[in-house]
Amino acid sequence: MATSTPSILSSDLFGGRLTIDLDAIAANWTFLNGKLSGAAECAAAIKGDGYGTGQDKAGPALYAAGCKTFFTAVPAEAVALRELLPDAVIYVLDGLFPGAAEFFPHHDLRPVLASVEELKDWSALCKSAGRSFKAAVHVDTGINRLGLPPGDLSAALGDPDLCGPFTPSLIISHLACGSTPAHEMNQRQLKLFREVTEPFSHIPRSLANSAGVLMGPEFHFDLVRPGIALYGGQAIDTEPNPMKPVAKVEARIMLVRDVAEGDTIGYGAKQTARRPLKNAVVAAGYADGMLRRAGSTDERPGGFAMIGGFKAPILGRISMDMITLDVTDVPDHLVQRGAFVEMLGPSVAAAELAAYAETIDYEYLTSLGRRFERVYAPLT
Ligand SMILES: *Cc1c(COP(=O)(O)O)cnc(C)c1O
């Protein structure tokens, strides 16, 4: 007799579980919004699939919390977000890709225009449609990525041919060193942004990312665009993170084994047991977004997981599908086959594991969990 196929994948079929707390995302937005004076608006950067949390869930949660303006990176993300949020204001930070302009009014999206070519494309579209569509204008104040050179903003906005046909609804610039508030670049960019936008103070202005929100009111202007802090990340490197954790990764133990002193663990035989070890093999690897460089060698210690309040250092390299943990000092009853260990969450900050991999929590979060079971629930 044929067995029936279960219609829903059971949790037992996954190596790990990624839990996302939408209430925490909403609470983080409310916290940042509370830092603003009444006049400034708190928007949300939701690019990179909501920093890995799932834009389709994070977007509506933020909207319900009161967020009405969103920044995606690419137009395709914005089109998908529009389906979910018919009344939100949606900006596209990457601006106009060639050939993409006509999709913007169709989905009621606003490009963030970063060059004279883009200004021309948008104005041409407005002229042919006979409508003055809204768009933001990006001015570069030192990061040297997107944006008009600061000296060109005034001439561009004052040029009736170039900018007359559309409605500039926002002028933005982006901080290069917000994660380090004491960096002189922040004051330099702030001053330059003020100067070049002064003649256009009738157009709303926006400079702050998450770090800018936390750095204080002079960075807030009319609208702020936090991203990482909404998703629980560390916006400022030099201060404790005030945000609520949003994501948790738990992975299951497949097997617990003894490793003799002098044996090596994992690919490349890069880590040697200095004493007899108990080793737990866990079903999460770099194919799940675990950062491979957070592995451990004899020369350089790697990251760790938490098991019932006990720290379990990573042993050897992180493989595609598994991680080996040193559980020698963890009580036996906690390290049974099938038990879950916390790789990321309230006890293991994303920024912490990322630091072992010489990267940042932004990269870690956005690479997480294509293969994990994904659950939206409070982190308890
Ligand atoms: C990503 C991004 C943001 C949000 O930055 P966080 O550091 O994640 O708060 C804001 N503005 C621009 C232009 C961005 O690219």
Side-chain angles (χ1 to χ4, degrees), residues 91-112:
Y91 284 101
V92 177
L93 286 166
D94 283 2
L96 292 180
F97 298 153
E102 65 192 79
F103 289 91
F104 281 73
H106 186 72
H107 297 281
D108 188 18
L109 308 175
R110 302 183 190 177
V112 180

Side-chain angles (χ1 to χ4, degrees), residues 45 47 51 93 138 145 172 174 209-211 225-229 362:
K47 59 200 187 182
Y51 289 56
L93 286 166
H138 201 154
R145 297 192 322 191
I172 83 158
H174 193 46
N209 59 353
S210 302
R225 318 180 300 271
I228 192 72
Y362 295 67

